[in-house]
Amino acid sequence: MCRFMVYYGESPILMADLITHPDHSIIHQSHACRERRLETTINKSLNGDGFGLGWYSSAQKPCVFTQITPAWNNINLQRISETISSNLVFAHVRASSGDFPTSEENCHPFQYGPYMFMHNGGLAHWKRIARPLRETLSDEVYHIMRGTTDSELCFGLFLQELPEGPNRTYPPHILLTTLLRVFAKLRREILTVKGEEASLLNFAITDGSTVLVSRFKINAAFSPSLYYASGSSWEQLSQHGESSRYQVSVYDSRVHTVIISSEPLSDHAGDWVSVPEDHILIITPQINALFIPILFNKDHSPVVSWEKEIPSLVPTGSITNGSPTVESPKQVEGFDSSGLTHTLVNKEHVKEEPFVLCLLCVDNRLFCGMKDGTIRSWNLRSYLPEMIMSGHESSVIALATTENFLVSSSRDHSLRLWSLQTNETKVLISNLPSVALSLNVAGSVIICGLLDTHLFAVPLKLGKYSSTSELVELQADSILTPFPSNHYGAVNAIASKPSSPSTKTNSPHCLRPPTPSFYINGHSNGHSKTDSGTYGKASGVGGTYNIFSGSADGLIFSWILTSTVEFTTQKENIELSLSRKLMAHEGGVMSLEIMKAGDFLLSGGRDGRIKVWCLRGKSTVCMHVLPAHHSDILGIAAATSVFCTASADRNILLWRSESFLQTYSFLPTASSSSSTPFSLSTSPLSNSTPSAVAGAGSLLCIAFDPLQKQLLFATVGSSQVQCLDLSHQIHTSTLSPLVHPRRHNLYSHPRTSLIATDLELAWSNPVGLLATFVGIQTVSHEATFLKKREECVRGCVFLRGLLDGLGAETKVLYGDSSRNPVLFARLAIGPYGGAFEENAPTVVFYGHYDVQPAPLKGWNTDPFSLTSINGYLYGRGASDNKGPILALLAAVHRMLTRPEDEDEPEDLSRLAAPLNLVFVYEGEEETDSKGTFEAVNILENEGWFNGSRVLVVTNTQWIDDTRPSLVYGLRGVVHAELHVNGEAPRDLHSGTDGGAFAEPMIDLMTVLSSFFDHRQAAGCHPVQIQGFYDNVRETLDPEEQVIFEPVTKLKDAESLSRRWRYPALSVHGIDQSVTSRTIIPSRLTARFSVRTVPDQDNTLLLKNIEAHIQKKFLEIGSRATWELRVVSKNQWWLGDFKNEFYQAAHQAIHEVWGIEPLYIREGGSIPLVPLFSDMLQIPAVHIPLVQASDNAHLPNERIRLLNLNNSVLVLRHFLKTLSRQ
């Protein structure tokens, strides 16, 4: 059998750190593998029949390098691995059988399009099943295969099963379903033969975004070995000779790096977990690891029940449990630095920076689990260091506390129970099946969540070990009893609460060796889990508890734990039953906390949401969704009257427990530890943060100290714990804002924090929300897309959170899996509010959250930090289109919370009839709306747009800076490229070959020049392509002429006509095969666009352009070859400015601005508007909200504060007018 290795990480890694340098690298495994079984070869440790290496660079297709020589003896492999870096790497060393010869065609990985495939194992009965399986392949897939192996045939079967063929990518759940169908087909064919020969199917498949690795067998006692390791990064520890020691380092609770290998690449056992047999390990594009069992129905079809219950794998777009009440986030003005005092430094010398990984407050003590394996404690009254507790051999991942003991887990696969009096280890439990990522104490039972998706429990016993000074050592395999369950991902968090009064007792208990405990096959992956002070401390023996486990699969499981003690034998019996599964968070559950005397469970996820689950009664119902964060929720800490939440973007929020309203916001800065130094430091090097640390600077964990009324938090890659004094925030029953609201100060300074104190203030003057929105760099431009895609997703999450806060039903869809998500939302507004009403008219709002790139050149301020200067708010997206989006949401919020307004006439103070509102916000408008229309079409088929009457767009601008406008027309646009290849097959030197042949650049410039009449007419170059101006409306309708006249008083009529009513052709640039002042390029691409107007036809216009190009190339006798390629084309749009919707907008603008709006057209294009309008068969109305000089797409983009505030009023008035029609 062969060996293979897969690396998938957020950051690229040098291949040598995987392929050649580690002690047990894939090269080492090629000649000295350790875990091959069922071998008939003479030397079972050799894999010398060739090798292969595959990786992804910036291109969508992977690069593959294969050779038939042994991997250990190939100098080119050594050279390549020392120079190439990638974030997704496949490596394979081959041991061929007699049926399959050694050739490069048979070397793995196999590749087609974006896909790569590797196999370790073999198919049984090959000669009997090969032909029937090949006959199932299409001609396209059949001819892809160049080799003769069973492995490549399996790859072909996978490509064949892809729903729409192998030339595109798919979401993770589609790839998973496809692989399961392949296994079903192979299993059915093999079982038909009725032989006993084993089939071993360890596959590795990727499309560059998702990785699937299987460990599957048919008619075999066991599968080939397969391991995985996950953490923050793969780092070198030391070097000895030609090999090095490596390990997986952990800096926070999220997974940034995953390595999958037939055998561990290092001897650090704590890093590696065996992949369960008959499972598929799937790594999603978010680097989320999930385990899917391979199961079959009686008809041999695969079981895919997981499709409906794993939010992390199959996002629903709108996860709900019951009908939760959604509260709006409340933000406050920035924080007072006087709340931070003290800097404490532990000056003891340490070998390496002891980064903080988890926190726990116990009375007046703070315990920190460290990356170096120690636990460090401080006195929270004096802020002096107390102890360094040593024992663990690797990073301390999680902490919990009982009445007398501190419990810790480590990546060395152990648990330690420390005496809180002596700080010594009392019990050591070694050789856990996997790393315990999360801990909680329920009565007399310790609950641990594992990386390998399991939960287990260890009972705390009364007895003699309370006073002994001897260390009690136990082996995990002797005390753990597994229990099956249905989790798919690592268990990130655990919470517990007593469910019967019998658990409340004041009798102290001590510790003795645990008796056999239970082992729950569940989920696991959490880190610093803190004790709330009310629950989690073992205060008695026996009783019933509710246990909640949160997993990377996005589910929360609710368990019932019953513990009873036989007084005669002192044996503790534990029973566990699964009570309920909760669909909780897309992307995974990261944190759980019990609050409010056990009545509520708080959960935080990678979707940026905080959910509040009511635990009263028999059911568990989501009562609130708090969408204030727009990044992973990594910590929740609860006190009696407040709770705090923290996200990876370093945002910390304080909430009222009784109302779930936000009362305080704090954003630690990089310099906060020095300028406001209330921090505890474990190292004198605490101000240095290694740049190599994944996610360095993002928030890691929090803990709440109820006695000192302070919040403690740490950031990734830091050795400091910072303390935020909240004593003046927390009172017996009430809260008061830290900073008194000052409305006018929100924008009085160019660098103000721009965060409002009061919820009503935040929505009525949404500057703070805009500051956050602008700070998310949602650039969708092709050149920067891969770098900014995570930011675009964050922008979508932020916007979704605001809509959740309004009570909207939200969905996120990907019309194209390789592009940005499209956000949909719907809600009803009316005399009494309420849910979406089927019979009410629907108003559809369209906008986009993506922005143009913002290179610093030309900007006077930071483009992604909203800055106020002289009444204008500067920042990328301020006018296009983030400012208008927030103005609309603020208007809707005001109508929901203040339906009556004293400033408005009586007949407008309340909606006359209910309206349904549908919001469509895409992330690809700046790049031709790729995938958006497909996503819209999906929900149109689901009835989301039923009853639609009008499409409203606010993505345009006024005619100038003084007159509000209404846009009723847009030009269409066609983007095209003219590709020219010269006569010479390669680039040539101008000195050697210049003048000896016709250069393609000259031919291309001649053709481009022929597009235009060089005699300028009215300051422009008319286009002289035959038919270019055909079908153009030469004159305006009389009614349109009337509305055009006032516009001509501001702008030149002829200039406006050229911009609005006539087509235009613009050349944007020429790309060439080489850029040098001495080289003649052989290949050239001219990029140009055509703006079209009513009543032109794009197809006919393109034919005329192509005919002109062909004619000109023939006229000049060019020997170059050429091709015209259409990149995109979008239709023009002309609205009916006389309809009721434009009249409603006209009335709203006049009411707010006190002036009649002008009716104008736009020279630009919005691709989705005509498609959307035609699909729904509804008119569109464009309501510009920003000024002409607001520099959309240009440096110093801005929006006037007056426009932002008045836009809220205009849109509110517009909706109220519609409700009366």
Side-chain angles (χ1 to χ4, degrees), residues 7 373 485 634 807 1069 1106:
Y7 169 85
S485 73
L634 298 185
E1106 188 170 23

Side-chain angles (χ1 to χ4, degrees), residues 758-814:
D758 166 90
L759 177 62
E760 185 66 20
L761 179 60
W763 278 110
S764 63
N765 189 355
V767 177
L769 299 177
L770 181 58
T772 302
F773 204 6
V774 167
I776 306 173
Q777 302 182 29
T778 53
V779 178
S780 63
H781 192 267
E782 295 287 354
T784 57
F785 176 73
L786 292 177
K787 296 180 181 178
K788 298 297 185 183
R789 185 172 188 183
E790 182 178 351
E791 287 287 281
C792 290
V793 173
R794 284 183 58 214
C796 182
V797 170
F798 169 79
L799 196 53
R800 183 182 191 177
L802 295 181
L803 286 158
D804 282 335
L806 296 175
E809 176 188 359
T810 61
K811 278 194 175 185
V812 173
L813 294 180
Y814 288 82

Side-chain angles (χ1 to χ4, degrees), residues 244 332 377 405 422 601 610 675 791 817 849 991 1082 1113 1139 1207:
S244 303
V332 302
S377 66
F405 294 93
T422 65
L601 171 71
I610 304 151
S675 61
E791 287 287 281
S817 61
Y849 61 84
S1082 62
F1113 270 107
N1139 65 30
S1207 296

Side-chain angles (χ1 to χ4, degrees), residues 1144-1163:
H1146 184 118
Q1147 181 180 344
I1149 291 173
H1150 182 266
E1151 182 71 25
V1152 174
W1153 288 99
I1155 189 172
E1156 300 288 339
L1158 296 175
Y1159 288 84
I1160 64 174
R1161 294 195 200 179
E1162 274 273 9

Side-chain angles (χ1 to χ4, degrees), residues 402-405 443-444 460-462 507-511 537-541:
T402 72
E403 192 169 41
N404 297 310
F405 294 93
S444 58
L460 298 170
K461 297 293 294 183
L462 299 174
S507 61
H509 74 277
C510 302
L511 198 69
K537 288 188 178 182
S539 56
V541 177

Side-chain angles (χ1 to χ4, degrees), residues 453-773:
T453 79
H454 296 79
L455 293 166
F456 72 85
V458 180
L460 298 170
K461 297 293 294 183
L462 299 174
K464 61 183 179 181
Y465 294 98
S466 60
S467 59
T468 181
S469 59
E470 298 178 359
L471 174 65
V472 179
E473 298 188 41
L474 301 168
Q475 293 295 311
D477 57 2
S478 67
I479 65 171
L480 299 181
T481 303
F483 280 68
S485 73
N486 300 310
H487 278 296
Y488 303 94
V491 185
N492 294 331
I494 305 171
S496 65
K497 66 177 287 288
S499 58
S500 67
S502 63
T503 61
K504 292 290 188 178
T505 173
N506 295 323
S507 61
H509 74 277
C510 302
L511 198 69
R512 63 181 297 181
T515 56
S517 57
F518 60 82
Y519 189 83
I520 313 158
N521 186 5
H523 36 227
S524 89
N525 165 7
H527 291 248
S528 67
K529 299 296 171 274
T530 60
D531 192 315
S532 66
T534 304
Y535 301 106
K537 288 188 178 182
S539 56
V541 177
T544 302
Y545 284 81
N546 295 111
I547 309 296
F548 302 93
S549 55
S551 168
D553 57 19
L555 299 172
I556 295 175
F557 280 11
S558 174
W559 311 80
I560 303 297
L561 183 150
T562 303
S563 173
T564 59
V565 177
E566 299 177 7
F567 289 100
T568 55
T569 63
Q570 288 296 295
K571 179 181 179 181
E572 185 166 10
N573 300 313
I574 299 172
E575 295 181 2
L576 181 79
S577 61
L578 181 58
S579 172
R580 187 172 182 187
K581 298 179 183 180
L582 305 174
M583 299 281 285
H585 296 276
E586 295 177 8
V589 180
M590 299 302 296
S591 51
L592 295 174
E593 181 83 331
I594 300 289
M595 61 162 293
K596 248 190 177 182
D599 288 340
F600 294 94
L601 171 71
L602 301 172
S603 67
R606 298 200 70 174
D607 55 7
R609 295 176 169 187
I610 304 151
K611 291 194 173 183
V612 183
W613 307 84
C614 181
L615 304 181
R616 298 167 183 162
K618 296 182 179 180
S619 61
T620 303
V621 180
C622 181
M623 298 297 294
H624 301 272
V625 179
L626 310 177
H629 293 280
H630 47 83
S631 187
D632 304 344
I633 308 296
L634 298 185
I636 303 176
T640 303
S641 59
V642 299
F643 64 93
C644 297
T645 60
S647 57
D649 59 4
R650 298 182 295 118
N651 198 21
I652 298 173
L653 304 178
L654 183 68
W655 305 79
R656 300 172 185 258
S657 296
E658 70 275 13
S659 62
F660 299 105
L661 292 179
Q662 181 186 330
T663 185
Y664 180 72
S665 173
F666 172 57
L667 183 66
T669 63
S671 60
S672 61
S673 61
S674 57
S675 61
T676 53
F678 189 6
S679 60
L680 311 174
S681 179
T682 62
S683 167
L685 305 176
S686 57
N687 289 329
S688 62
T689 301
S691 58
V693 173
S698 60
L699 199 116
L700 169 65
C701 52
I702 62 174
F704 192 80
D705 173 18
L707 297 181
Q708 301 299 321
K709 297 180 180 179
Q710 59 186 338
L711 183 73
L712 302 107
F713 62 91
T715 57
V716 174
S718 171
S719 58
Q720 288 189 343
V721 177
Q722 299 187 51
C723 310
L724 181 61
D725 183 10
L726 300 175
S727 58
H728 48 320
Q729 284 284 318
I730 303 173
H731 303 284
T732 303
S733 59
T734 61
L735 296 172
S736 61
L738 178 61
V739 181
H740 185 74
R742 293 187 298 272
R743 179 183 298 267
H744 300 292
N745 285 346
L746 285 174
Y747 45 90
S748 60
H749 190 276
R751 292 291 179 180
T752 182
S753 64
L754 300 175
I755 300 177
T757 302
D758 166 90
L759 177 62
E760 185 66 20
L761 179 60
W763 278 110
S764 63
N765 189 355
V767 177
L769 299 177
L770 181 58
T772 302
F773 204 6

